Amino acid sequence: MILLRLLVRVVSFLLLIVLALLGLGIALSAIDPGSAADVAGLPRLRDRVGAWFENLEGDGPVATASLIAGVAAGLLGLALLIGLLVPRRERLVTLRTTEHGPLAARRRALADVARSLAEQTRGVTQAKVKVKPRRRGGGRLRVRAARPRPADGRTVDRSIASQLETLTGPFGLKASVQTRAGERGARVQ
Amino acid sequence: MLRPSDPAVSGTVRTRLAQLVLEAALAVDGVVGADAGPHRLHVTAGVPGEPLLGVRAIAEPGGTYAVDLGLKAGLVPLEALADRVRVAVRRAAAVAGLEDELGPVSVTVHDVADPAEELVASRPGPAAP
């Protein structure tokens, strides 16, 4: 979906440029039709593509290529429409729902909290957290942390999980922790 | 007699409720600021001046308004923070005579303040000359 939205922005920007150039061409042709056509190279264009248009009318490789191009253009149009019309989702994790109303958090906010907690763990030099929300509320935290080489991986994993308990426990979030030995000279908390 | 919640006094009930809910939430310890969210969905228009960012009030069938708050929080336990926000909001609504209009209060944490950022925000400013 992100790619489709990017595509929509790029194509709409390019279309605006084409529209501006067309406007310029129309303005020029209104002033001096003959010279505007020469400047735009329309006579040469007619000579070049005239034969191609004739080939389109019959069977052959050009007709096949035009069919494929037509289908591709249709698919591109469909992709642009999807990118433009499908509503954007708010990436929220519902932490708890009570009679007083729900408590939710954006994935990035939750990841920031989890990363901050993980990096407070003794023996952790750096942590990255990804949050995946579940449809029925709650979610999963995936923690990747770096530790110094002498530190025992399992011990650090358990310490991080324990540190995250203040966040995961009350909301029933699942956390998976993986640590890897950091590079030499990495700072230790 | 006009109650403070009457539209004739100050805006509509919806906008008035949104305003006081936002003010009450921002005064809660652990709330760093209001955040309308990445798609600016937590916004209330119709208030004199700028639209209110970080809150929206939606009319419900029973005559109440469901209030959604979008907040930037500090690094604090989120459940306790949401409870404190709801208590403060209900108290503010009661003081303004709008407790019957207030429905469920949703709390959405859009962002979390960096601890360093919080430290800077909590520091007292330079003394006046």
Side-chain angles (χ1 to χ4, degrees), chain A residues 43-76:
Chain A
R44 270 178 288 134
L45 186 67
R46 184 188 56 206
D47 295 341
R48 189 170 293 176
V49 300
W52 192 79
F53 276 124
E54 283 169 14
N55 284 339
L56 271 181
E57 293 171 3
D59 293 335
V62 177
T64 309
S66 69
L67 178 69
I68 292 170
V71 171
L75 289 176
L76 177 66

Side-chain angles (χ1 to χ4, degrees), chain A residues 90 96 100-102 104-106 116, chain B residues 79 86 105-110:
Chain A
E90 260 201 298
R96 178 148 297 175
H100 304 297
R106 272 188 77 204
S116 179
Chain B
E79 192 176 25
R86 287 198 181 102
V105 179
S106 306
V107 178
T108 303
V109 179
H110 283 299

